[in-house]
Amino acid sequence: MNSGEVLPEAVVERFAIYGELETVCPFGSGHINTTFVSRWNQAGLRVRYLHQLINDRVFLRPGGVMENIDRVTRHIASILREKGEEDVSRKTLTVVPSRDGRLFVRDDGGGWWRTYLFIERTHTLDLVSTSGEAHFLGKAIGRFQKQLADFDGKRLDETIPDFHNMESRYRSFRNAVNRDPLDRAGTAGAEIDFMLENEERGAVLLRALREGRIPERVCHNDAKINNILIDDGDNRALCVVDLDTVMPGTCLFDSGDLIRTVAARAKEDERDLSRVEFDFPFFAALLEGYLSEASSFLTTGEKELLAESGRNITHIMALRFLTDYLEGDTYYHTSRPGHNLDRARNQIALVRSMDRHWESITRFLRERVL
Ligand code: ADP
Ligand code: GN1
Ligand code: MG
């Protein structure tokens, strides 16, 4: 039996949850894990939990992922409690252990499952429509980074080694172009050329890290727009989720992913490229929100590279989507033929739009930050 054939009902019953299980349904639109929500009757009260089958082709040590998440969420919860905040279990994820006290359950096919408290009355955005939204999303990631700025103890597990390492991403890309297992390179000639022409500037964050111009810190590494839950009540960012990639990196990976997904006028798989544009007012509001939390701990070296971070992370996403297209869509969930190629084209168009706005981006950061 493989994990795809496992009944989620049988798995969720193995977590330390009281009451009667009523339903289990698929949930969410993530590209990596498989998510379900269960509903339980707990002495007359209906309560929901979120369950995920961890993608163990992407995360080769799911146990390490869960240890990281457990440490990080406990750390954030203790900071929130010390500050006397209300609703701590809405502001950070809470891991629900298995009945035998582990952070995960293994199913009969060897799959790794985890459970979180389901944070009720929230939604996520795929695009912002106001500067206010851009501001609170930036603030949420700035706050998250600040909460982890003093995280100490054993170094977190690198759940995906070289995750944002442009050199190794380029190696995989070249390998995919050369092997071209599905004979797709001919359909992506312009995109392949773009990648080859822009390789040099792709290494900007990696070089800064290597040369010690920016520090290594604990960061999210996947700080895209829909990994931030927003409270339906006050319509403010509430909780940063999808913590599988929280590990050592640079804060610029997170500012970059925010810029890529918040300061964009179209979703990352929009096919009409005339709609794929960088949005300067959203960018400015996002950075104001982010810096309202982060400017106290960021170094000058980090601030100097904020502008590059958006362009760099968009570039790496284009490269990864294109590589996956050439490899035969083995990494990202796709829902139509050519989905990864559409995403790659979209992200290249966004890098080009950022290039066109470059002067205003750098002027804004010079005046506001440096
Ligand atoms: P993936 O790694 O596949 O992107 P995520 O961890 O981001 O999976 O979860 C998928 C979606 O589920 C998120 O975008 C968010 O909408 C929702 N979600 C995640 N965790 C919770 C939670 N604890 N409570 C409520 N919704 C959640
Ligand atoms: C994946 O898991 P999800 O959908 O939030 C990916 C990110 C990409 C993103 C592109 C572990 O994020 O790196 O930026 O898709 N996560 C992993 O949307 O590869
Ligand atoms: Mg996600």
Side-chain angles (χ1 to χ4, degrees):
M1 185 185 281
N2 69 43
S3 293
E5 296 158 8
V6 168
L7 284 178
E9 288 78 1
V11 176
V12 308
E13 297 264 24
R14 294 174 53 198
F15 285 95
I17 304 176
Y18 294 108
E20 292 80 50
L21 175 63
E22 293 186 338
T23 56
V24 185
C25 303
F27 187 81
S29 59
H31 294 346
I32 305 295
N33 297 310
T34 309
T35 303
F36 297 87
V37 173
S38 65
R39 199 182 69 202
W40 299 68
N41 175 350
Q42 289 181 348
L45 191 68
R46 297 250 137 56
V47 175
R48 296 199 287 175
Y49 291 83
L50 186 118
H51 313 276
Q52 289 180 315
L53 172 60
I54 302 174
N55 184 330
D56 55 8
R57 280 181 300 117
V58 168
F59 298 103
L60 300 181
R61 291 182 305 279
V65 170
M66 290 315 295
E67 256 176 56
N68 280 5
I69 294 179
D70 189 50
R71 289 175 61 200
V72 163
T73 52
R74 283 173 191 277
H75 177 82
I76 295 176
S78 79
I79 292 178
L80 294 171
R81 274 195 296 270
E82 269 166 33
K83 285 174 64 187
E85 296 242 2
E86 290 178 351
D87 285 342
V88 171
S89 57
R90 286 174 70 65
K91 293 177 179 163
T92 183
L93 288 172
T94 306
V95 177
V96 177
S98 66
R99 292 192 192 279
D100 57 1
R102 292 167 185 248
L103 299 171
F104 47 79
V105 158
R106 303 291 305 273
D107 68 29
D108 294 342
W112 298 69
W113 293 73
R114 64 168 166 237
T115 293
Y116 296 120
L117 295 185
F118 186 86
I119 304 177
E120 295 288 349
R121 300 180 303 285
T122 68
H123 60 279
T124 52
L125 295 174
D126 285 327
L127 281 177
V128 297
S129 43
T130 68
S131 293
E133 290 168 349
H135 190 278
F136 68 58
L137 291 167
K139 196 173 167 66
I141 293 297
R143 193 190 309 126
F144 180 83
Q145 291 179 345
K146 193 153 93 180
Q147 287 164 338
L148 293 172
D150 66 343
F151 189 79
D152 49 18
K154 195 178 81 182
R155 193 170 185 265
L156 288 172
D157 192 66
E158 272 193 62
T159 58
I160 304 182
D162 292 324
F163 189 49
H164 288 306
N165 180 332
M166 201 56 125
E167 283 176 6
S168 64
R169 295 291 183 188
Y170 261 98
R171 272 197 296 278
S172 310
F173 164 69
R174 282 181 205 285
N175 191 23
V177 174
N178 292 336
R179 287 195 322 115
D180 196 15
L182 293 169
D183 208 13
R184 289 181 171 180
T187 57
E191 293 71 27
I192 293 171
D193 287 347
F194 175 90
M195 289 306 160
L196 296 174
E197 282 157 20
N198 286 278
E199 183 165 2
E200 173 61 24
R201 67 166 163 164
V204 54
L205 296 186
L206 185 66
R207 266 201 305 265
L209 253 180
R210 274 198 188 142
E211 291 166 9
R213 282 182 280 123
I214 52 175
E216 178 184 280
R217 298 181 191 271
V218 173
C219 59
H220 187 285
N221 285 299
D222 187 5
K224 66 179 192 180
I225 184 168
N226 59 17
N227 285 331
I228 303 170
L229 300 184
I230 299 165
D231 197 322
D232 292 346
D234 62 6
N235 204 27
R236 286 276 180 277
L238 180 68
C239 181
V240 177
V241 300
D242 204 346
L243 306 180
D244 306 272
T245 51
V246 176
M247 60 180 163
T250 150
C251 289
L252 297 167
F253 295 152
D254 295 353
S255 59
D257 229 336
L258 276 174
I259 295 168
R260 175 181 83 85
T261 52
V262 175
R265 293 209 186 130
K267 292 202 272 185
E268 72 182 8
D269 62 353
E270 171 62 57
R271 299 172 74 169
D272 176 358
L273 298 185
S274 70
R275 300 175 59 186
V276 179
E277 270 289 332
F278 173 80
D279 187 292
F280 184 78
F282 290 161
F283 166 79
L286 169 71
L287 265 287
E288 291 289 356
Y290 174 67
L291 288 165
S292 70
E293 296 282 347
S295 66
S296 61
F297 65 85
L298 291 180
T299 63
T300 308
E302 288 171 314
K303 290 176 184 169
E304 280 170 354
L305 282 170
L306 275 171
E308 286 288 0
S309 73
R311 203 158 64 164
N312 198 248
I313 292 294
T314 312
H315 181 170
I316 203 167
M317 291 312 153
L319 183 68
R320 292 174 57 196
F321 287 138
L322 183 58
T323 305
D324 199 33
Y325 171 69
L326 296 170
E327 289 288 1
D329 310 312
T330 59
Y331 186 90
Y332 293 106
H333 293 167
T334 53
S335 50
R336 59 179 188 245
H339 204 163
N340 274 317
L341 180 58
D342 293 341
R343 290 168 173 151
R345 287 186 170 143
N346 172 305
Q347 298 290 284
I348 290 171
L350 187 57
V351 172
R352 292 202 158 113
S353 177
M354 289 172 176
D355 286 344
R356 289 193 294 277
H357 285 82
W358 198 242
E359 222 184 288
S360 23
I361 293 174
T362 47
R363 190 179 333 113
F364 170 83
L365 286 171
R366 241 188 347 265
E367 288 167 5
R368 170 62 184 80
V369 187
L370 298 171

